[in-house]
Amino acid sequence: MTRLDAPVTESNCHRVDQEGPATRLLESREVPLGGIRGILVHRSLPQRELPMVGAWCFLDRFDDEQSNMRVLPHPHTGLQTVTWPIDGSIRHRDSLGSDVAVQPGELNIMTSGRGISHSEFSIGDVASPLRGLQFWVALPREMAAADPFFERFTDLPVYETDGLTATVLVGRLGEAESDATIFTPLMGADAALDAGAQVSLPLDPSFEYAVMVVSGSLDVAGHHLGSGPLLYLGIGRDALDVSSADGARFVLLGGAPFGEELIMWWNFVGRSDGEIVTARDDWERGSDRFGHVDGHGGERIPAPPLPTVRLTPRRRRP
Ligand code: MN
């Protein structure tokens, strides 16, 4: 994914005063994504009030009946992209030479380190349904200069309990632990809850968590949650009771509160205005830093203009 919106400043600051278990409902917003006819995505993070959940810093859900995704090469720094199709496939090509069809049930994680570029296209020329999730994970400082790499997992661990089956994408849920490489304490799972089921999920009290419904509806922490909003759950819980009258598919995300101030601008995560400006310049001048994605000729997405004000981290609002 790439961003067409590049807010003047958008960043996070780890909130020093963790407030314990909380529930805060945050609406997603619809954002157009590049392409011939531009698909709409539902973006749940970042939000003004909540820049991150653990190292999760960007949550997009795409849900399109007639998609012809065509996202030309664009760069990333300082993050991992986690791509999890639900319906439909995406052809991923990157500057490491990866060229894969990302399919439902298969997890793709691209770790940008100091820099990578990639493209994402629908497969075939006919518009078809495309549903799925693409999330970004912020990398800690020590990974800012690391080499990029790409991972693909076709056999993910499953957490199962009576009435619930959850595919663990990253980190751990109960005893089910993903092999996906992560750099901070983090978890993410895609769970299917049967109609009429009531389940208690094991949580790590040192993590903050959030839940997002993909389909159906979920009763959780006093909320009746349909698809769309993100329910932030705070920190300090050792379990989470979920139930559903009609069944639900939902994503549970959690992680240790991210302890560094970050700046997110366009497709870059950095720690200073200078880092972001350099990354933008490197992309614009075609530096080796971001390599080359084969198959697109010279076509690529240009960086948007930088804001006229200095980029600074934004504090999480209480
Ligand atoms: Mn991207």
Side-chain angles (χ1 to χ4, degrees):
M1 295 292 160
T2 183
R3 304 187 62 175
L4 293 183
D5 66 319
V8 171
T9 63
E10 182 178 78
S11 55
N12 92 302
C13 172
H14 163 51
R15 185 180 48 201
V16 177
D17 55 323
Q18 288 301 333
E19 62 192 21
T23 60
R24 193 183 305 170
L25 195 62
L26 299 157
E27 294 298 329
S28 62
R29 58 193 191 280
E30 292 198 331
V31 179
L33 198 70
I36 286 171
R37 52 172 288 277
I39 72 171
L40 272 183
V41 301
H42 306 275
R43 183 156 299 156
S44 302
L45 281 183
Q47 303 238 0
R48 191 167 287 275
E49 309 83 59
L50 183 74
M52 301 175 80
V53 175
W56 298 105
C57 61
F58 188 94
L59 308 182
D60 265 3
R61 181 171 63 87
F62 40 94
D63 185 355
D64 199 331
E65 272 302 322
Q66 292 293 313
S67 174
N68 190 356
M69 183 185 271
R70 191 170 178 275
V71 181
L72 284 166
H74 60 278
H76 288 291
T77 62
L79 59 82
Q80 296 174 288
T81 63
V82 177
T83 307
W84 180 244
I86 289 169
D87 190 9
S89 303
I90 302 166
R91 183 178 181 187
H92 162 99
R93 283 170 281 184
D94 65 36
S95 51
L96 303 171
S98 315
D99 183 352
V100 299
V102 185
Q103 323 229 36
E106 300 179 359
L107 181 74
N108 287 258
I109 300 194
M110 185 179 78
T111 301
S112 73
R114 67 175 175 275
I116 196 168
S117 57
H118 73 141
S119 65
E120 293 161 298
F121 277 60
S122 295
I123 294 172
D125 295 328
V126 180
S128 54
L130 183 61
R131 296 186 180 82
L133 308 171
Q134 193 178 71
F135 298 158
W136 293 358
V137 176
L139 291 171
R141 182 183 301 276
E142 60 269 25
M143 284 297 293
D147 292 340
F149 62 96
F150 181 77
E151 293 175 291
R152 185 179 201 202
F153 299 92
T154 55
D155 187 19
L156 291 159
V158 173
Y159 173 86
E160 265 188 300
T161 183
D162 199 21
L164 178 132
T165 303
T167 304
V168 181
L169 308 179
V170 300
R172 156 196 294 271
L173 180 61
E175 294 305 310
E177 185 167 12
S178 168
D179 291 329
T181 305
I182 49 175
F183 299 92
T184 56
L186 193 71
M187 70 79 59
D190 176 7
L193 185 62
D194 294 345
Q198 184 168 352
V199 167
S200 180
L201 292 168
L203 302 190
D204 180 335
S206 70
F207 281 17
E208 54 181 347
Y209 286 92
V211 168
M212 184 170 75
V213 170
V214 173
S215 60
S217 65
L218 187 70
D219 290 294
V220 53
H223 288 261
H224 183 70
L225 203 61
S227 69
L230 184 75
L231 182 66
Y232 179 67
L233 295 163
I235 195 170
R237 297 174 190 264
D238 55 18
L240 182 68
D241 295 332
V242 293
S243 62
S244 177
D246 303 317
R249 182 168 181 173
F250 65 96
V251 176
L252 176 69
L253 300 169
F258 199 77
E260 298 178 51
E261 290 197 354
L262 294 179
I263 296 177
M264 283 176 64
W265 182 81
W266 194 40
N267 296 312
F268 304 134
V269 172
R271 279 155 189 81
S272 69
D273 180 75
E275 263 183 63
I276 300 290
V277 170
T278 300
R280 183 187 182 283
D281 288 348
D282 288 346
W283 175 247
E284 288 303 280
R285 68 186 175 83
S287 153
D288 288 346
R289 174 179 181 176
F290 295 109
H292 179 77
V293 186
D294 288 337
H296 302 287
E299 282 195 287
R300 65 212 293 268
I301 299 178
L306 280 166
T308 51
V309 298
R310 190 178 168 81
L311 296 165
T312 53
R314 191 168 66 200
R315 308 272 161 177
R316 182 182 289 195
R317 294 184 179 183

